[in-house]
Amino acid sequence: MALNVPGLVATIIFYLLVLGIGIWASIKSKRDENRAQANHADMALLGNRKISLVVGIFTTTATWVGGTFIIGTAETVYDPKLGLIWAVMPLAATLAFIVGGLFFAEPMRDKKYVTMMDPFCIKYGDRLSGLLSVAPLMSEIIWVTSTLISLGVTMSVILDLSYAVCIWISAAVAITYTLLGGLYSVAYTDIIQLTLIFITSWLCIPFLFMSPTSVDITTTSFNHTFQAPWVGTLTADRAWRWIDIFLLLSIGDLGFQDFHQRTLSASTSATAKLRCYAAAFLIPTFGIPPVLVGAVAASTDWNLTSYGSPSPFERGQTGLILPLSLQHLTPPYISVVGIGAVAAAVMSSTDSALLSAASIFTSNIYKTILRTQASEMEIRWVIRIAVVLFGLAGTSLTFLHTGVMAFWVLGGEIAYIMMFPQLVCVLFINISNGYGATVGFLVSFFLRLLCGEPLLRLPPVLHFPGCTFEDGVYVQYAPIRTICMLVSFVTILLVSAVASVLFNTGLIPQKWDVFQIQNSPQTQIPTGGARSNEIHHSQPLCENGGVSDPMLESTC
């Protein structure tokens, strides 16, 4: 196959368009920063909390409709072992944003936090918060990796370009406009990217349906034609595994900084909640085209196409089903259009993950631990350098594994198992303290390692009920991720309670209380912004600009 010159030209035009909008947004950001005399860190990381509702809805939706979302959904629907019933990403995102809007957006935005780690800084102290920040930092870098892989495999198949070249060029564009304009560039480029995703993905669908090598998808939905029905099945022995994956991809999203960065950049908590509810409605609509791509691919006699026999599944190329379908089932100019959808989706997620990683490192590690007296100019350069370094790190990891879902699952598990229970405890449960957070973090990490992971070729040490040996690997059908998450949650509470009793009763000397929990008051988060009479009226400011919450006794 020769180089697809028209496709390459179209891709270059798209990249130049996105880069141009990103540069324009960076100029607008600087102009607004000077006009409002705003702090550069607030402007770069949160848009000075002035991102409008409409732009906020676009960037929130675009962040979740990434390359992994599109390619992973199509792959799951096509896979004869899975099918539509396992393609839970669109509906899982809906649940994530509904729960986030109901319970997390308002308390986080009302306290004017900069990152999701700020409440940890206030309650547990800078050093423990900095150590815990490594987990969400890694999940963001891994998110960059998974999205870039999805673009690399698509462009290498359709354009016949080197996988490495496709990834590095895409990463360079995303890094450039993100470090120039921060959240302004990310948000405004998301508008054009989300628009392109919607138009180009739907434009490809009619041509896929008209392919002479495919049959009606309604006839193959429940009938074995060329492969197992694409709707899929859910047997009793796999039900717990399905629930586990659904919770991982829904509730686990609340452990990502990307989610909270979108709500924290809103002008008010009400606007933050509206963003969540709008995204909860919009995201599933973007999941329909990749579902149809997977269904058509499952309804295709691949022996009659230019791809030939055996099928992609039999060749082990299930992860490439979207680009393969575009290349072999549609005219060449339509496959080029399909690249636009994937490229736009990848950019919209990559830039968000880069900025989120830079936010956590700058606010919760560099500023609070490494350089507490850093000037505003120094922080400005730290943000830019962090974007570049984390972009390079995420891009480098793409060469360890070419499977989109492997990195998607790994990043999601860090957020779900290690960060979600920590976030719930620090925000809503008074008794939690640094001892419980530390032990819970370590227990969840090592317990998950002992459970094993086939995608990462990690054999299990703990065999839960239902663990079977399939195709040379052990598969856990028990909800191991949810079990690890719940164990982490319970551990945090139990260890926190025991530590509180031991120190407050004098069984352990106060000098050994490294997290200073002895006789610390336990106060509920006041509802409706009201303050308890027992709380001091003067509340210390954190170094990151947030206000110390009444429940969060320690200062940054």
Side-chain angles (χ1 to χ4, degrees):
M1 177 180 172
L3 177 66
N4 188 334
V5 177
L8 180 61
V9 172
T11 303
I12 292 173
I13 293 174
F14 166 73
Y15 280 175
L16 291 175
L17 174 64
V18 171
L19 187 59
I21 293 174
I23 294 174
W24 168 83
S26 69
I27 297 173
K28 175 178 171 58
S29 173
K30 290 182 176 66
R31 187 169 60 245
D32 291 350
E33 179 182 339
N34 294 331
R35 184 186 302 121
Q37 296 297 306
N39 178 275
H40 176 75
D42 285 343
M43 180 62 72
L45 304 181
L46 297 175
N48 202 29
R49 305 188 197 270
K50 298 294 184 182
I51 302 295
S52 68
L53 176 61
V54 174
V55 176
I57 291 173
F58 267 95
T59 187
T60 302
T61 305
T63 298
W64 256 252
V65 183
T68 309
F69 177 93
I70 292 177
I71 289 188
T73 300
E75 173 187 348
T76 305
V77 174
Y78 167 73
D79 193 333
K81 296 182 179 179
L82 299 174
L84 175 63
I85 197 169
W86 291 88
V88 298
M89 281 183 279
L91 295 181
T94 295
L95 177 61
F97 279 98
I98 291 175
V99 173
L102 288 174
F103 300 106
F104 290 87
E106 185 171 356
M108 295 284 282
R109 177 59 186 86
D110 283 348
K111 305 301 180 296
K112 296 184 179 179
Y113 296 139
V114 176
T115 74
M116 64 177 282
M117 299 307 298
D118 285 357
F120 294 87
C121 166
I122 298 171
K123 188 172 186 181
Y124 300 153
D126 298 342
R127 297 190 181 279
L128 179 55
S129 172
L131 291 175
L132 294 176
S133 297
V134 174
L137 188 62
M138 290 301 300
S139 67
E140 298 298 343
I141 295 175
I142 291 171
W143 193 340
V144 171
T145 303
S146 80
T147 56
L148 288 176
I149 288 176
S150 63
L151 180 59
V153 297
T154 301
M155 294 178 66
S156 61
V157 168
I158 296 178
L159 299 183
D160 197 31
L161 270 177
S162 165
Y163 174 78
V165 170
C166 297
I167 285 180
W168 280 107
I169 292 176
S170 305
V173 173
I175 290 171
T176 300
Y177 70 73
T178 302
L179 68 87
L180 287 177
L183 187 61
Y184 260 62
S185 291
V186 171
Y188 282 98
T189 53
D190 279 346
I191 295 176
I192 185 66
Q193 288 160 354
L194 193 66
T195 304
L196 282 174
I197 294 170
F198 184 83
I199 294 174
T200 55
S201 59
W202 276 108
L203 189 60
C204 296
I205 298 304
F207 292 91
L208 284 168
F209 280 134
M210 290 187 293
S211 172
T213 60
S214 304
V215 299
D216 189 348
I217 63 174
T218 59
T219 63
T220 59
S221 57
F222 293 98
N223 299 307
H224 194 294
T225 308
F226 305 113
Q227 62 176 55
W230 59 265
V231 170
T233 58
L234 182 61
T235 56
D237 60 326
R238 304 177 75 189
W240 282 112
R241 183 175 173 86
W242 186 94
I243 294 172
D244 197 32
I245 293 174
F246 184 81
L247 291 175
L248 168 70
L249 298 178
S250 55
I251 303 301
D253 285 349
L254 299 174
F256 280 103
Q257 164 65 11
D258 301 76
F259 172 87
H260 300 286
Q261 191 161 49
R262 294 306 176 273
T263 59
L264 293 173
S265 64
S267 56
T268 64
S269 58
T271 304
K273 295 170 74 172
L274 284 175
R275 288 184 185 185
C276 293
Y277 300 143
F281 171 76
L282 291 173
I283 290 175
T285 64
F286 288 88
I288 298 175
V291 166
L292 295 177
V293 171
V296 171
S299 308
T300 297
D301 185 351
W302 287 93
N303 190 42
L304 300 179
T305 68
S306 55
Y307 181 83
S309 183
S311 68
F313 173 74
E314 294 170 314
R315 296 191 195 184
Q317 294 185 326
T318 304
L320 302 177
I321 196 59
L322 188 142
L324 289 176
S325 298
L326 293 176
Q327 181 184 14
H328 298 285
L329 303 182
T330 66
Y333 60 91
I334 292 300
S335 64
V336 171
V337 171
I339 290 180
V342 177
V346 167
M347 290 293 184
S348 65
S349 293
T350 301
D351 53 15
S352 298
L354 288 175
L355 190 61
S356 295
S359 301
I360 291 176
F361 175 78
T362 304
S363 296
N364 303 112
I365 297 178
Y366 190 86
K367 177 65 175 173
T368 60
I369 298 177
L370 303 180
R371 286 275 296 169
T372 57
Q373 302 300 320
S375 65
E376 183 176 343
M377 180 58 69
E378 183 178 343
I379 293 299
R380 182 192 301 260
W381 281 102
V382 169
I383 293 172
R384 292 172 177 172
I385 294 172
V387 168
V388 174
L389 292 180
F390 294 140
L392 294 176
T395 306
S396 300
L397 289 175
T398 59
F399 302 100
L400 295 179
H401 200 295
T402 57
V404 172
M405 295 307 295
F407 283 103
W408 176 275
V409 170
L410 179 59
E413 289 194 4
I414 293 175
Y416 180 49
I417 297 171
M418 303 179 71
M419 291 313 303
F420 175 70
Q422 297 277 359
L423 188 63
V424 171
C425 288
V426 78
L427 285 177
F428 304 114
I429 300 179
N430 297 334
I431 199 173
S432 65
N433 54 48
Y435 299 101
T438 303
V439 177
F441 187 85
L442 294 175
V443 167
S444 63
F445 174 73
F446 287 109
L447 180 60
R448 184 61 189 93
L449 286 181
L450 294 175
C451 292
E453 178 52 59
L455 288 174
L456 303 178
R457 299 186 179 92
L458 185 66
V461 176
L462 297 177
H463 292 250
F464 287 88
C467 181
T468 58
F469 193 72
E470 300 177 3
D471 300 325
V473 295
Y474 282 100
V475 178
Q476 302 265 25
Y477 283 102
I480 55 173
R481 301 171 183 88
T482 301
I483 290 173
C484 293
M485 185 274 291
L486 292 176
V487 168
S488 174
F489 185 76
V490 172
T491 301
I492 295 171
L493 298 184
L494 287 179
V495 174
S496 296
V498 171
S500 180
V501 170
L502 291 177
F503 283 111
N504 288 330
T505 58
L507 294 175
I508 297 181
Q510 183 179 1
K511 64 180 180 180
W512 292 354
D513 186 7
V514 295
F515 293 119
Q516 300 177 356
I517 67 168
Q518 188 173 29
N519 296 322
S520 60
Q522 302 296 339
T523 325
Q524 292 289 346
I525 296 178
T527 57
R531 302 291 183 188
S532 170
N533 292 330
E534 299 176 0
I535 305 303
H536 295 293
H537 293 288
S538 59
Q539 298 168 359
L541 292 175
C542 297
E543 290 175 354
N544 54 28
V547 179
S548 153
D549 184 71
M551 183 200 74
L552 310 174
E553 295 81 20
S554 305
T555 60
C556 288

